[in-house]
Amino acid sequence: MYTVSSKIIPAGGKWSNRISRGKQLTFTALEDGANVSLLLYNANDTTERYNMPDTLKAQHTAHLTVGNVLMSDNGRVLASIIDDSLGWHDTISGYATRQMIDERFGRTTYQEKRNDWYRSGEENFAVELFRNGLTTRDLVPVVNVFSKVFCSEDGNMHFVSSHAKKGDTITLRTEMDVLLILSNTPNPLDTSNTYPSVPVELTITDAQPVQEDDRCLNHRPENRRAFENTWDDVLFTKGGIL
């Protein structure tokens, strides 16, 4: 496949870009203990964005892996998970705030530490949203790729610290033109005593077209309906006739 782009997102780093439909996004952990918080929006209408409740309810799950899709609040598919070495990615714990980072790892400032200061997902997202004409009012629940968080019978959430290893990967396929926003900052439930420092590589290539036997398409009837809604929208957007 033709490589469109390859980028290293350093620990504490952030990145955003508009990515066209039919691309393959592969995230690779370059060390143990990675976590990247991810937001997705329809690049052509950013009022449409990833909807965590519908994504989980429709697929009868609380976490994501191969076969799952990231659904929008309009019942369409933003992206599909077509490959995954881990089998579990967190959807429920959210992103780290400035207060969380300060309380867990100690307060740092850019003036004191320069590029080594401890960034939060809250601040990274605020910056990247602004760069794309959005505000913090457009923040929605994130997907934390590489992290595993589960709920015990008493309702408490638990972070699995040994989940992601160096070399682990997850690959998404874009099903519409998307705005992707990333923050390489700690999971808010991470139990580490020191600020995690794990770079992650993002490689973007051309994806193969969706086939009738596609695992994501056939994962559940709700997935197929979401794909059909997406394809209908693409036809109308490009002036197609049903």
Side-chain angles (χ1 to χ4, degrees):
M1 290 186 180
Y2 175 71
T3 300
V4 177
S5 176
S6 183
K7 182 177 181 61
I8 302 296
I9 304 169
K14 58 189 182 299
W15 187 78
S16 64
N17 214 329
R18 283 168 163 77
I19 300 170
S20 62
R21 176 175 176 260
K23 300 300 179 186
Q24 189 168 292
L25 317 178
T26 299
F27 297 85
T28 303
L30 300 183
E31 299 293 343
D32 295 352
N35 180 80
V36 173
S37 300
L38 177 155
L39 291 171
L40 277 178
Y41 301 80
N42 180 340
N44 300 310
D45 177 6
T46 54
T47 61
E48 181 178 12
R49 63 280 307 267
Y50 167 66
N51 186 290
M52 181 263 277
D54 286 355
T55 294
L56 303 185
K57 177 178 64 176
Q59 299 176 96
H60 296 200
T61 186
H63 63 274
L64 298 176
T65 185
V66 171
N68 292 139
V69 301
L70 281 67
M71 293 184 183
S72 78
D73 44 12
N74 286 356
R76 294 193 278 257
V77 183
L78 292 155
S80 304
I81 302 177
I82 61 173
D83 194 31
D84 175 23
S85 67
L86 282 162
W88 189 304
H89 300 269
D90 167 44
T91 61
I92 59 177
S93 66
Y95 52 84
T97 65
R98 177 76 267 157
Q99 182 179 354
M100 289 177 184
I101 296 298
D102 288 348
E103 290 177 351
R104 183 160 304 160
F105 305 111
R107 186 176 183 275
T108 61
T109 64
Y110 175 78
Q111 288 74 14
E112 295 172 346
K113 299 287 188 178
R114 298 303 180 187
N115 288 333
D116 290 331
W117 76 293
Y118 300 158
R119 299 165 178 83
S120 71
E122 177 183 38
E123 292 160 314
N124 279 355
F125 285 135
V127 171
E128 293 303 317
L129 286 166
F130 181 78
R131 286 176 174 169
N132 289 280
L134 302 171
T135 73
T136 51
R137 294 182 64 181
D138 297 293
L139 267 172
V140 293
V142 302
V143 176
N144 287 309
V145 297
F146 298 116
S147 284
K148 180 175 182 177
V149 173
F150 69 94
C151 292
S152 55
E153 292 295 330
D154 58 9
N156 290 319
M157 295 193 296
H158 303 273
F159 178 81
V160 179
S161 60
S162 59
H163 184 56
K165 302 296 185 183
K166 179 179 179 179
D168 277 325
T169 63
I170 176 174
T171 300
L172 278 64
R173 179 183 62 210
T174 55
E175 308 298 352
M176 66 169 73
D177 298 343
V178 298
L179 168 62
L180 172 68
I181 302 180
L182 305 174
S183 177
N184 186 359
T185 41
N187 186 290
L189 299 182
D190 193 328
T191 55
S192 301
N193 293 322
T194 57
Y195 188 87
S197 183
V198 183
V200 170
E201 182 178 24
L202 169 62
T203 303
I204 305 174
T205 60
D206 292 322
Q208 294 292 336
V210 177
Q211 303 296 322
E212 180 58 33
D213 63 351
D214 185 83
R215 184 171 178 180
C216 299
L217 173 66
N218 295 292
H219 180 67
R220 291 198 54 79
E222 292 86 348
N223 288 39
R224 180 173 286 272
R225 287 197 292 272
F227 270 98
E228 291 171 350
N229 291 339
T230 309
W231 297 335
D232 286 349
D233 184 65
V234 169
L235 284 174
F236 278 121
T237 300
K238 296 184 179 301
I241 299 175
L242 295 178

